[in-house]
Structure formats: C-alpha cells, structure tokens
C-alpha cells in the first residue's frame, strides 16, 4: 500500500480518535501499531507493543519525571506555597500592585520546586486570590496574574515538559533545565513590569499594599530558605555535573520530604498521598509517551518526518520564516490541545526541520516550550484559566481571559527577545561541565 | 455495590503498592548519590534495580489511571455535547483504551516469557529480569480489568464526568 496515503490516513484517524476523547496516548499507540501492521505485518507491529513499553518504563532517565513531581507534591503538602507568598508579600507588598507582584514572585519560587504549570496555578490560586480580593484588586487582574504566573512552572527548572522534550529528541535534560533559567527569570521580571505598567497606565484598580516591618520581612524568609537551598543544590549539582538529572530528582524528592518532616508538616498519611499523586501524574505521562514512541516507529517507516522536512524547506521561507511558521502552528494547535500532548505529538515531526535549519536543539526546546506555554492561557482551551475558574467559580472565564491578555503580550515580547538573542538561552548550558 | 467497594479497595491497594515502589526508587537514588560522595562507594546494581522498579511502578500506575479515567484527553468536542452523547463518547474511548490495554498486557506477557526463557539478568549482580517484568505485566493486566469497572461507572451515571 502507498506509504504516503497510509501516513495521511493515519493522521486523519488519529485526530478523529482524539476528538472522540480517546486518550491521546492510546490514540497514538493504536494508530501507530495499526499503521505499522498495514505497512509491514501484524507480528512485528505487535512485537513493538511488547518491546516499547517495557523498555521505556525501565529507562533510568525517565525516573526523573515521577521524582521531580514527587518533590513538588512534598513541597506543596509542606505548605511551601503559603510561605513563599508570605515572604514575597513581605518584600513586595507595599508597592502599587504589590500583592500581584508578590503572587508572581511566589509563582516563580514555587515553579523552582514544582515542574507543572497547572499545579502552580491551582496552588497559587488558593493562596493568593483571597489576598488580592481582600485588597480590592479587579477580578480580571487578580485571576490573570495567577494564570500567567502559573505558566512559569513549565519553564523554570525542573520542568517536566522540557524533560519530555529532551527524552523525545535525545537531548541532555540537564542542559535543557539550565537553559530554562534565564528565560524563566526574564519571564518573572517582565510579568512584574507588566503589573507595574498596568498600575501606572492601565486604568485598572491596582491597590497599594500594606508595608511590612523590617524584622517581619527577614522572619518571613525562615519558612522558605531550606527549600530554596534545596533548589540551588539540585540545579547547582546538575550544572556542575555532580549528579545526573535523575539523581538530582531523587535528591530533590528526598530533600523535600526531609524538610517537610522536619517542619512537622509531613506524616505517614501525607507522604503516601504525595507518592500516590506523583505516580498517578507520572503514569498519565508514561501512557502518552508510550503512544508517541509507538506512533514514532510508524512515522519512521512512512518517512513522514523526512517528507515533511523536504516539503517545508522547499517553501524557501528562509531560516526564521520557517521557524515562525512552525511557532504559529504551535500557537494554533495550543488553542485545542494540551501542552504535553502537543510537544509529544509534533516534536518528532518538526525536530528534523529545525535541525536541518541549523538551530540549536536546546534553544529550540526552550522556544517551543514557551510557545506551548501560551496555549495554557489563551482561549479556548487555556488550561490554567480553567483551573482558576475551578478554584474561584464566581470569576467567569471571559473575565480571566481578559485579565491574562497583557501577560500574553508580554510573553510574545519575551519570545521575540529570545529568538533575536539566542545567547540568552544557550550561554548557561554552554558553560556546563 | 459490593463489586464497586471491592474495586475501590483494590485500586487503593494497587495505588499504595505502586507508591511504595516509587518511594523505593527515590530512596535508592538518594542513597546511591549519598554513598558515592560520602562513603566513596556506590550501591551495587542501584541503577538496574532502580530502573526495573520504575517499570513496575509505572505499569501499576497505569492500572489506577485506567480505573479513574485520568488519561490526557482532548475535551473540546465532548464539552459541546449533551450528556447522552458524552456517555456514548466515553464508552467509545474506554473501548479503545481496552483494546490497547489488552494488546499491551498480552505482548508484555510474551516479553516476560521470552525474558525468562533466555535467562536475561542484570549486569552487576546477575539478578533475573523476568520477575520485575512479571510484576509490571500484572499491573497492565490489573489496568485492563479495571476498565470493566470504568464501563460500569460510565453506565451508572447520568453525566459521567459531572
């Protein structure tokens, strides 16, 4: 049978299955195995099903995903989000828009422990939203700040999505984590500047917070120093080549547990609950990764990535023209798909194009993650927006979407900056041992 | 009713068992690094045991995912439909998941047999691989069986996800 025809047909079936709410990993796996059977034979296709899951499940590098998720769970259960917010508020709260700025700083701090945007948004919505309401912030600004701040989780290391990108493209996950540091810090600074600009020129009600006495400010750091030290230790360890990212994840999870126990926040029951939650999330990621790998084998025999590369390069749009087309496609896809699913489904297809164009694969990883991150706060899917709506039912979706719009603009500016100055991303990883 | 209580308890037990495997991997990884830098000697086979336990934990994690329908899905069409069509769509999705899980369980079992027959062992300590793969296979099998309870859950409810 004609390979191109089967490839096109398989994509059609895949999108229909996903639209019919078949789990993304299952849909990719079924189409991958089915397509392989059509082009090859049923036995080798079934053999893939025997080989790929066991091999992937027992890949040591994959261990960093459940352990970094576990680190985030332990930190959340230990009340870190409240402590981070309290400390940020003590230092920033007295300014105009100070509570909103504190929320962004706390989101940044929480992202350094938790690699998930949705978890960051959900946690900070419970902590910071009541406080912003107390100070009389407009609902759109208060919810928009949290939705945007939540997206920091996907970029600031440890980032689960960056790890998945590294896993699929066989890039060094440690380098990817280090590459996310400067763009993550830049995001925090630009979000803070956005709040300041809204307060100065936006016309929205952006109140001035209460000043905190100097002694209280320093005392507020007591609750967070240990966890921030843990973050510095694991990221420093990766940067210095002292341990692998998987080992760093193990150290981080164990360290977060020790801190939680030492502070009397983690007992036996809470520990088990965190372990169960982390494993549930990881199993969901494992399933989608399995599907992607099975689908990838099928794509390889159809030579779809090669054909796609030839076609896209044949359009002669130039290096940056082609890159912009790819990023625009991600933005559109982000309107209907989950960030993780989008990365897993599309990166194997576009990665050869990007490599052919001579872009740095680590840099592209950060750029693509930042682009899918926009999908978390743009309509109609905007997962972070739905999460905040779930926590605060009385704030409507359009209100939250209105609130995130200034931050979407900021994200586009940041994306343009990092495309124009790739060194901002590549410098730190290039200095690694 | 008794069946659903049994299922809940089974899933809770499976969750805890899988969670303990994750705890073991974490402790092993932490201990390996600690021993390497503090004692100057790593734990033999920590790498192999860690990755094999990871495989078991993830396969058992799949069982819980199947029972609770916690997979990553695209909800855009589903959200626009009335409850009855949502139910139809959910039943279709579970059927597709069941087909995948049956294939996965079957072929993983074949892998267990072939690994046992070929006598594959770990590099350092010659630990046989097949018991770990067999534990992982049990997780896949449990996941497949859990989908039956997922069918029952969907059929029982007016709007499965409400």
């Amino acid at each position: 049978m004609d390979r191109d025809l089967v490839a096109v047909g398989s994509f059609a079936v895949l999108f229909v299955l996903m639209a019919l709410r078949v789990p993304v990993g299952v849909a990719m796996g079924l189409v991958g195995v089915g397509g392989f059977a059509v082009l090859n034979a049923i036995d080798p296709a079934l053999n893939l099903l025997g080989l790929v899951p066991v091999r992937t499940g027992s890949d040591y590098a994959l261990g960093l995903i459940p352990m970094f998720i576990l680190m985030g769970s332990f930190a959340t259960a230990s009340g870190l989000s409240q402590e981070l917010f309290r400390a940020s508020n003590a230092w920033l709260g007295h300014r105009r828009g100070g509570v909103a700025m504190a929320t962004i700083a706390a989101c940044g701090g929480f992202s350094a422990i938790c690699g998930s945007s949705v978890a960051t948004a959900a946690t900070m919505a419970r902590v910071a939203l009541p406080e912003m309401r107390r100070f009389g912030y407009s609902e759109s600004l208060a919810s928009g700040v949290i939705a945007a701040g939540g997206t920091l989780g996907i970029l600031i290391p440890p980032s689960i999505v960056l790890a998945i990108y590294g896993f699929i493209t066989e890039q060094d996950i440690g380098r990817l984590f280090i590459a996310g540091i400067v763009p993550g810090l830049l995001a925090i600074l630009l979000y803070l500047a956005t709040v300041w600009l809204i307060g100065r020129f936006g016309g929205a009600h952006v109140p001035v917070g209460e000043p905190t006495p100097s002694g209280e400010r320093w005392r507020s750091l007591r609750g967070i120093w240990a966890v921030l030290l843990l973050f510095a230790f694991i990221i420093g360890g990766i940067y210095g080549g002292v341990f692998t990212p998987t080992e760093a994840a193990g150290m981080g999870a164990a360290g977060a547990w020790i801190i939680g126990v030492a502070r009397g926040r983690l007992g036996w029951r809470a520990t088990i609950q965190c372990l169960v939650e982390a494993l549930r999330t990881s199993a969901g990621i494992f399933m989608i990764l399995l599907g992607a790998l099975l689908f990838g084998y099928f794509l390889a025999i159809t030579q779809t990535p090669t054909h796609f590369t030839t076609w896209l390069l044949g359009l002669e749009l130039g290096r940056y023209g082609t890159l912009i087309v790819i990023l625009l496609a991600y933005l559109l896809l982000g309107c209907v798909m989950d960030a993780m699913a989008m990365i897993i489904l599309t990166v194997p297809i576009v990665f050869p194009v990007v490599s052919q164009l001579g872009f740095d694969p680590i840099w592209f990883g950060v750029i693509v993650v930042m682009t899918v991150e926009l999908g978390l706060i743009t309509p109609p899917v905007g997962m972070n927006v739905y999460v905040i709506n779930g926590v605060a039912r009385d704030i409507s979706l359009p209100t939250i979407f209105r609130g995130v719009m200034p931050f979407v603009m900021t994200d586009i500016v940041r994306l343009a900056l990092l495309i124009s100055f790739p060194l901002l991303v590549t410098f730190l990883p290039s200095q690694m041992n | 009713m008794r069946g659903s209580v049994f299922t809940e308890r089974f899933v809770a037990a499976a969750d805890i068992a899988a969670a303990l495997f994750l705890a073991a991997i974490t402790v092993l990884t932490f201990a390996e690094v600690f021993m390497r830098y503090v004692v100057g000697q790593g734990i033999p086979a920590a790498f192999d045991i860690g990755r094999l336990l990871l495989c078991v934990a993830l396969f058992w994690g799949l069982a819980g995912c199947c029972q609770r329908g916690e997979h990553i899905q695209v909800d855009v069409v589903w959200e626009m439909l009335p409850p009855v069509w949502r139910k139809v769509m959910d039943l279709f999705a579970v059927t597709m998941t069941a087909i995948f899980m049956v294939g996965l369980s079957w072929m993983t079992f074949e892998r267990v047999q072939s690994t046992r027959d070929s006598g594959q062992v770990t590099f350092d300590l010659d630990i046989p691989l097949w018991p770990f793969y067999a534990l992982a296979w049990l997780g896949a099998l449990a996941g497949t069986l859990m989908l039956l309870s997922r069918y029952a859950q969907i059929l029982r409810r007016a709007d499965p996800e409400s």
Side-chain angles (χ1 to χ4, degrees), chain B residues 75-112:
Chain B
D75 294 337
V76 177
V77 178
W78 186 86
E79 276 167 359
M80 291 188 290
L81 295 176
V84 66
W85 281 105
R86 287 183 176 188
K87 189 184 274 193
V88 171
M89 201 180 255
D90 282 337
L91 288 172
F92 176 74
V94 174
T95 307
M96 290 292 114
T97 310
I99 291 171
F100 183 81
M101 288 301 293
V102 166
L104 179 70
S105 306
W106 172 31
M107 294 315 296
T108 305
F109 181 67
E110 300 250 316
R111 182 80 196 271
V112 174

CSV table of all heavy atoms in Angstrom, one decimal, chain B residues 75-112:
chain,number,residue,atom,x,y,z
B,75,ASP,N,-10.9,17.5,25.1
B,75,ASP,CA,-12.3,17.6,25.6
B,75,ASP,C,-13.1,18.6,24.7
B,75,ASP,O,-14.3,18.8,25.0
B,75,ASP,CB,-12.4,18.1,27.0
B,75,ASP,CG,-11.8,17.0,28.0
B,75,ASP,OD1,-11.7,15.8,27.6
B,75,ASP,OD2,-11.4,17.4,29.1
B,76,VAL,N,-12.5,19.2,23.7
B,76,VAL,CA,-13.2,20.3,23.0
B,76,VAL,C,-14.6,19.8,22.5
B,76,VAL,O,-15.6,20.5,22.7
B,76,VAL,CB,-12.4,20.8,21.8
B,76,VAL,CG1,-13.1,21.9,21.1
B,76,VAL,CG2,-11.0,21.3,22.4
B,77,VAL,N,-14.7,18.7,21.8
B,77,VAL,CA,-15.9,18.2,21.2
B,77,VAL,C,-16.9,17.8,22.3
B,77,VAL,O,-18.1,18.1,22.4
B,77,VAL,CB,-15.7,17.1,20.2
B,77,VAL,CG1,-17.0,16.6,19.6
B,77,VAL,CG2,-14.8,17.6,19.1
B,78,TRP,N,-16.3,17.0,23.3
B,78,TRP,CA,-17.1,16.4,24.4
B,78,TRP,C,-17.8,17.4,25.1
B,78,TRP,O,-19.0,17.2,25.5
B,78,TRP,CB,-16.1,15.6,25.3
B,78,TRP,CG,-16.7,14.9,26.4
B,78,TRP,CD1,-17.1,13.6,26.3
B,78,TRP,CD2,-16.9,15.3,27.7
B,78,TRP,NE1,-17.6,13.2,27.6
B,78,TRP,CE2,-17.4,14.2,28.4
B,78,TRP,CE3,-16.6,16.5,28.4
B,78,TRP,CZ2,-17.7,14.3,29.8
B,78,TRP,CZ3,-16.9,16.6,29.8
B,78,TRP,CH2,-17.4,15.5,30.4
B,79,GLU,N,-17.2,18.6,25.4
B,79,GLU,CA,-17.8,19.6,26.2
B,79,GLU,C,-19.0,20.3,25.5
B,79,GLU,O,-19.9,20.9,26.2
B,79,GLU,CB,-16.8,20.7,26.5
B,79,GLU,CG,-16.0,20.3,27.7
B,79,GLU,CD,-14.8,21.2,27.9
B,79,GLU,OE1,-14.6,22.1,27.1
B,79,GLU,OE2,-14.1,20.9,28.9
B,80,MET,N,-19.1,20.1,24.2
B,80,MET,CA,-20.2,20.7,23.4
B,80,MET,C,-21.4,19.8,23.3
B,80,MET,O,-22.5,20.2,22.8
B,80,MET,CB,-19.8,21.1,22.0
B,80,MET,CG,-18.7,22.3,22.0
B,80,MET,SD,-18.4,22.8,20.4
B,80,MET,CE,-17.5,21.5,19.7
B,81,LEU,N,-21.3,18.6,23.8
B,81,LEU,CA,-22.3,17.6,23.6
B,81,LEU,C,-23.3,17.5,24.8
B,81,LEU,O,-22.9,17.7,25.9
B,81,LEU,CB,-21.7,16.2,23.3
B,81,LEU,CG,-20.9,16.1,22.0
B,81,LEU,CD1,-20.2,14.7,22.0
B,81,LEU,CD2,-21.8,16.3,20.8
B,82,PRO,N,-24.5,17.0,24.6
B,82,PRO,CA,-25.4,16.7,25.7
B,82,PRO,C,-25.0,15.5,26.4
B,82,PRO,O,-24.2,14.7,25.9
B,82,PRO,CB,-26.8,16.5,25.0
B,82,PRO,CG,-26.5,16.1,23.6
B,82,PRO,CD,-25.2,16.8,23.3
B,83,PRO,N,-25.5,15.3,27.7
B,83,PRO,CA,-25.0,14.1,28.5
B,83,PRO,C,-25.1,12.8,27.8
B,83,PRO,O,-24.1,12.0,28.0
B,83,PRO,CB,-25.9,14.2,29.7
B,83,PRO,CG,-26.3,15.6,29.8
B,83,PRO,CD,-26.4,16.1,28.4
B,84,VAL,N,-26.1,12.5,27.1
B,84,VAL,CA,-26.2,11.2,26.5
B,84,VAL,C,-25.1,10.9,25.5
B,84,VAL,O,-24.5,9.8,25.4
B,84,VAL,CB,-27.7,11.0,25.9
B,84,VAL,CG1,-27.9,11.9,24.7
B,84,VAL,CG2,-27.9,9.5,25.5
B,85,TRP,N,-24.8,11.9,24.7
B,85,TRP,CA,-23.7,11.7,23.7
B,85,TRP,C,-22.3,11.7,24.4
B,85,TRP,O,-21.4,11.1,23.9
B,85,TRP,CB,-23.8,12.8,22.6
B,85,TRP,CG,-24.8,12.5,21.6
B,85,TRP,CD1,-26.1,13.1,21.5
B,85,TRP,CD2,-24.8,11.4,20.7
B,85,TRP,NE1,-26.8,12.5,20.5
B,85,TRP,CE2,-26.0,11.5,20.0
B,85,TRP,CE3,-23.9,10.5,20.3
B,85,TRP,CZ2,-26.4,10.6,19.0
B,85,TRP,CZ3,-24.2,9.6,19.3
B,85,TRP,CH2,-25.4,9.6,18.6
B,86,ARG,N,-22.2,12.4,25.5
B,86,ARG,CA,-21.0,12.4,26.3
B,86,ARG,C,-20.8,10.9,26.7
B,86,ARG,O,-19.6,10.4,26.7
B,86,ARG,CB,-21.1,13.3,27.5
B,86,ARG,CG,-21.0,14.7,27.2
B,86,ARG,CD,-21.0,15.5,28.4
B,86,ARG,NE,-20.8,16.9,28.1
B,86,ARG,CZ,-20.6,17.9,29.1
B,86,ARG,NH1,-20.6,17.6,30.3
B,86,ARG,NH2,-20.4,19.1,28.7
B,87,LYS,N,-21.9,10.3,27.2
B,87,LYS,CA,-21.7,8.9,27.7
B,87,LYS,C,-21.3,8.0,26.5
B,87,LYS,O,-20.4,7.2,26.7
B,87,LYS,CB,-23.1,8.5,28.2
B,87,LYS,CG,-23.1,7.2,28.9
B,87,LYS,CD,-24.4,6.7,29.4
B,87,LYS,CE,-24.8,7.3,30.7
B,87,LYS,NZ,-26.0,6.7,31.3
B,88,VAL,N,-21.9,8.2,25.4
B,88,VAL,CA,-21.6,7.4,24.2
B,88,VAL,C,-20.1,7.5,23.9
B,88,VAL,O,-19.3,6.6,23.6
B,88,VAL,CB,-22.4,7.7,23.0
B,88,VAL,CG1,-21.9,7.0,21.7
B,88,VAL,CG2,-23.9,7.4,23.2
B,89,MET,N,-19.6,8.8,23.9
B,89,MET,CA,-18.2,9.1,23.6
B,89,MET,C,-17.3,8.5,24.6
B,89,MET,O,-16.3,7.9,24.3
B,89,MET,CB,-18.1,10.6,23.5
B,89,MET,CG,-16.9,11.0,22.8
B,89,MET,SD,-16.7,12.8,22.8
B,89,MET,CE,-17.2,13.2,21.2
B,90,ASP,N,-17.7,8.5,25.9
B,90,ASP,CA,-16.9,7.9,26.9
B,90,ASP,C,-16.8,6.4,26.8
B,90,ASP,O,-15.7,5.8,27.0
B,90,ASP,CB,-17.4,8.3,28.3
B,90,ASP,CG,-17.1,9.7,28.7
B,90,ASP,OD1,-16.1,10.3,28.1
B,90,ASP,OD2,-17.8,10.4,29.5
B,91,LEU,N,-17.9,5.8,26.4
B,91,LEU,CA,-17.9,4.3,26.2
B,91,LEU,C,-17.0,4.0,25.1
B,91,LEU,O,-16.2,3.0,25.1
B,91,LEU,CB,-19.3,3.8,26.0
B,91,LEU,CG,-20.2,3.8,27.2
B,91,LEU,CD1,-21.7,3.5,26.8
B,91,LEU,CD2,-19.7,2.9,28.3
B,92,PHE,N,-17.0,4.8,24.0
B,92,PHE,CA,-16.1,4.5,22.9
B,92,PHE,C,-14.7,4.7,23.3
B,92,PHE,O,-13.8,3.8,23.0
B,92,PHE,CB,-16.5,5.5,21.7
B,92,PHE,CG,-15.6,5.4,20.5
B,92,PHE,CD1,-15.7,4.3,19.7
B,92,PHE,CD2,-14.6,6.3,20.3
B,92,PHE,CE1,-14.8,4.2,18.6
B,92,PHE,CE2,-13.7,6.2,19.2
B,92,PHE,CZ,-13.8,5.2,18.4
B,93,ALA,N,-14.4,5.7,24.0
B,93,ALA,CA,-13.0,6.0,24.5
B,93,ALA,C,-12.5,4.8,25.3
B,93,ALA,O,-11.4,4.4,25.2
B,93,ALA,CB,-12.9,7.3,25.2
B,94,VAL,N,-13.4,4.3,26.2
B,94,VAL,CA,-13.0,3.2,27.1
B,94,VAL,C,-12.7,2.0,26.3
B,94,VAL,O,-11.8,1.2,26.6
B,94,VAL,CB,-14.0,3.0,28.2
B,94,VAL,CG1,-13.7,1.8,29.1
B,94,VAL,CG2,-14.1,4.2,29.2
B,95,THR,N,-13.6,1.7,25.3
B,95,THR,CA,-13.4,0.6,24.4
B,95,THR,C,-12.1,0.6,23.7
B,95,THR,O,-11.3,-0.4,23.7
B,95,THR,CB,-14.5,0.5,23.4
B,95,THR,OG1,-15.8,0.6,24.1
B,95,THR,CG2,-14.5,-0.8,22.6
B,96,MET,N,-11.7,1.8,23.2
B,96,MET,CA,-10.4,1.9,22.5
B,96,MET,C,-9.3,1.7,23.5
B,96,MET,O,-8.3,1.0,23.2
B,96,MET,CB,-10.3,3.3,21.9
B,96,MET,CG,-11.2,3.6,20.7
B,96,MET,SD,-10.7,2.6,19.3
B,96,MET,CE,-12.1,1.6,19.1
B,97,THR,N,-9.4,2.2,24.7
B,97,THR,CA,-8.4,2.0,25.7
B,97,THR,C,-8.3,0.6,26.1
B,97,THR,O,-7.2,0.0,26.3
B,97,THR,CB,-8.7,2.9,27.0
B,97,THR,OG1,-9.0,4.2,26.6
B,97,THR,CG2,-7.6,2.9,28.0
B,98,ALA,N,-9.4,-0.1,26.1
B,98,ALA,CA,-9.4,-1.6,26.5
B,98,ALA,C,-8.7,-2.4,25.4
B,98,ALA,O,-7.9,-3.3,25.7
B,98,ALA,CB,-10.8,-2.1,26.6
B,99,ILE,N,-8.9,-2.0,24.1
B,99,ILE,CA,-8.2,-2.7,23.0
B,99,ILE,C,-6.7,-2.5,23.2
B,99,ILE,O,-5.9,-3.5,23.1
B,99,ILE,CB,-8.7,-2.2,21.7
B,99,ILE,CG1,-10.2,-2.6,21.4
B,99,ILE,CG2,-7.8,-2.7,20.5
B,99,ILE,CD1,-10.8,-1.9,20.2
B,100,PHE,N,-6.3,-1.3,23.5
B,100,PHE,CA,-4.9,-1.0,23.7
B,100,PHE,C,-4.3,-1.8,24.8
B,100,PHE,O,-3.2,-2.4,24.7
B,100,PHE,CB,-4.7,0.5,23.9
B,100,PHE,CG,-3.2,0.9,24.0
B,100,PHE,CD1,-2.4,1.0,22.8
B,100,PHE,CD2,-2.6,1.1,25.2
B,100,PHE,CE1,-1.1,1.4,22.9
B,100,PHE,CE2,-1.3,1.4,25.3
B,100,PHE,CZ,-0.5,1.6,24.2
B,101,MET,N,-5.0,-1.8,25.9
B,101,MET,CA,-4.5,-2.4,27.2
B,101,MET,C,-4.5,-3.9,27.0
B,101,MET,O,-3.6,-4.6,27.6
B,101,MET,CB,-5.4,-2.0,28.4
B,101,MET,CG,-5.2,-0.6,28.8
B,101,MET,SD,-3.5,-0.1,29.3
B,101,MET,CE,-3.3,-1.1,30.8
B,102,VAL,N,-5.5,-4.5,26.3
B,102,VAL,CA,-5.4,-6.0,26.1
B,102,VAL,C,-4.2,-6.3,25.3
B,102,VAL,O,-3.4,-7.2,25.6
B,102,VAL,CB,-6.7,-6.4,25.3
B,102,VAL,CG1,-6.5,-7.9,24.8
B,102,VAL,CG2,-7.9,-6.4,26.2
B,103,GLY,N,-3.9,-5.5,24.2
B,103,GLY,CA,-2.7,-5.8,23.4
B,103,GLY,C,-1.4,-5.6,24.2
B,103,GLY,O,-0.5,-6.4,24.2
B,104,LEU,N,-1.4,-4.6,25.1
B,104,LEU,CA,-0.2,-4.3,25.9
B,104,LEU,C,0.0,-5.4,26.9
B,104,LEU,O,1.1,-5.9,27.1
B,104,LEU,CB,-0.5,-3.0,26.7
B,104,LEU,CG,0.6,-2.5,27.6
B,104,LEU,CD1,1.9,-2.1,26.8
B,104,LEU,CD2,0.2,-1.4,28.5
B,105,SER,N,-1.1,-5.9,27.5
B,105,SER,CA,-1.0,-7.0,28.5
B,105,SER,C,-0.5,-8.3,27.9
B,105,SER,O,0.4,-8.9,28.4
B,105,SER,CB,-2.3,-7.3,29.2
B,105,SER,OG,-2.8,-6.1,29.7
B,106,TRP,N,-1.1,-8.6,26.7
B,106,TRP,CA,-0.8,-9.8,26.0
B,106,TRP,C,0.7,-9.8,25.6
B,106,TRP,O,1.5,-10.7,25.9
B,106,TRP,CB,-1.7,-9.9,24.8
B,106,TRP,CG,-1.4,-11.0,23.8
B,106,TRP,CD1,-0.8,-12.2,24.1
B,106,TRP,CD2,-1.6,-11.0,22.4
B,106,TRP,NE1,-0.6,-13.0,23.0
B,106,TRP,CE2,-1.1,-12.3,21.9
B,106,TRP,CE3,-2.2,-10.1,21.6
B,106,TRP,CZ2,-1.2,-12.6,20.6
B,106,TRP,CZ3,-2.2,-10.5,20.2
B,106,TRP,CH2,-1.8,-11.7,19.7
B,107,MET,N,1.1,-8.7,25.0
B,107,MET,CA,2.5,-8.7,24.5
B,107,MET,C,3.6,-8.5,25.6
B,107,MET,O,4.7,-9.0,25.5
B,107,MET,CB,2.7,-7.5,23.5
B,107,MET,CG,1.9,-7.7,22.2
B,107,MET,SD,2.0,-9.4,21.5
B,107,MET,CE,3.7,-9.5,21.1
B,108,THR,N,3.2,-7.9,26.7
B,108,THR,CA,4.1,-7.8,27.8
B,108,THR,C,4.3,-9.2,28.4
B,108,THR,O,5.4,-9.6,28.9
B,108,THR,CB,3.6,-6.8,28.9
B,108,THR,OG1,3.3,-5.6,28.3
B,108,THR,CG2,4.6,-6.6,30.0
B,109,PHE,N,3.2,-10.0,28.5
B,109,PHE,CA,3.3,-11.4,29.0
B,109,PHE,C,4.2,-12.2,28.1
B,109,PHE,O,5.1,-12.9,28.6
B,109,PHE,CB,1.9,-12.0,29.0
B,109,PHE,CG,1.9,-13.4,29.5
B,109,PHE,CD1,2.2,-13.7,30.9
B,109,PHE,CD2,1.6,-14.5,28.7
B,109,PHE,CE1,2.2,-15.0,31.4
B,109,PHE,CE2,1.7,-15.8,29.2
B,109,PHE,CZ,2.0,-16.0,30.5
B,110,GLU,N,4.1,-12.0,26.8
B,110,GLU,CA,5.1,-12.7,25.9
B,110,GLU,C,6.5,-12.3,26.2
B,110,GLU,O,7.4,-13.1,26.1
B,110,GLU,CB,4.8,-12.3,24.4
B,110,GLU,CG,3.3,-12.7,24.0
B,110,GLU,CD,3.3,-13.8,23.0
B,110,GLU,OE1,4.1,-13.8,22.1
B,110,GLU,OE2,2.5,-14.7,23.2
B,111,ARG,N,6.7,-11.0,26.5
B,111,ARG,CA,8.0,-10.5,26.8
B,111,ARG,C,8.5,-11.1,28.1
B,111,ARG,O,9.7,-11.4,28.2
B,111,ARG,CB,7.9,-8.9,27.0
B,111,ARG,CG,9.2,-8.3,27.3
B,111,ARG,CD,10.1,-8.1,26.0
B,111,ARG,NE,11.5,-7.8,26.3
B,111,ARG,CZ,12.0,-6.6,26.5
B,111,ARG,NH1,11.2,-5.5,26.3
B,111,ARG,NH2,13.2,-6.4,26.7
B,112,VAL,N,7.6,-11.3,29.1
B,112,VAL,CA,8.0,-11.9,30.3
B,112,VAL,C,8.5,-13.3,30.0
B,112,VAL,O,9.6,-13.7,30.5
B,112,VAL,CB,6.8,-12.0,31.3
B,112,VAL,CG1,7.2,-12.8,32.6
B,112,VAL,CG2,6.4,-10.6,31.7
